[in-house]
Amino acid sequence: MAIIGIVLGVAALGLIYWLRKDQQMDNGLHEAEVDHIHQGMNALMNDFNNYQVETNRKITELEKQLEIKTKQLERSQTKLVKNLPKEIRGVIGHIEFAQNNLR
């Protein structure tokens, strides 16, 4: 009976040693996987930050272009409004001249 106890004890110790080695190997694999995930997340975060910065630059540039175009249109409209009375007088003058020729 003592021999069976010793054999079972040695088998249990061997099994514990094997399971501990297997657990250490699994822990190493999980640690490597977590490290790869961490690197991937950092790369994704950097890409997203670069995208945000690039998008903000483009938005700023478009706002500047829009402001420039708006100012150009305002100047054109102001010029047209300034010249409008002259244009109206010219058209009315042509109409009156044509009516005088028709009579």
Side-chain angles (χ1 to χ4, degrees):
M1 186 89 148
I3 295 175
I4 294 174
I6 293 172
V7 170
L8 287 176
V10 170
L13 288 175
L15 185 61
I16 289 172
Y17 177 75
W18 179 76
L19 287 174
R20 184 178 166 114
K21 278 290 207 187
D22 191 44
Q23 185 65 43
Q24 286 176 347
M25 187 174 64
D26 286 346
N27 286 345
L29 291 174
H30 290 300
E31 185 178 330
E33 188 174 337
V34 168
D35 188 43
H36 287 119
I37 290 171
H38 184 69
Q39 289 175 355
M41 289 293 192
N42 282 337
L44 185 63
M45 182 179 63
N46 289 337
D47 286 346
F48 186 66
N49 286 342
N50 289 337
Y51 173 76
Q52 285 179 324
V53 168
E54 184 179 328
T55 302
N56 285 338
R57 284 183 191 149
K58 287 180 181 179
I59 288 172
T60 303
E61 181 64 31
L62 289 172
E63 286 173 345
K64 287 178 185 176
Q65 289 176 1
L66 181 63
E67 188 174 337
I68 290 169
K69 192 67 173 173
T70 303
K71 286 182 180 182
Q72 287 175 348
L73 290 173
E74 284 176 4
R75 280 189 234 124
S76 299
Q77 186 179 12
T78 304
K79 186 177 178 182
L80 286 174
V81 168
K82 225 181 236 185
N83 293 334
L84 188 61
K86 293 177 187 176
E87 294 289 329
I88 292 173
R89 281 187 212 120
V91 170
I92 291 174
H94 289 298
I95 293 172
E96 288 176 353
F97 180 72
Q99 284 181 352
N100 287 338
N101 286 342
L102 291 175
R103 290 184 191 174

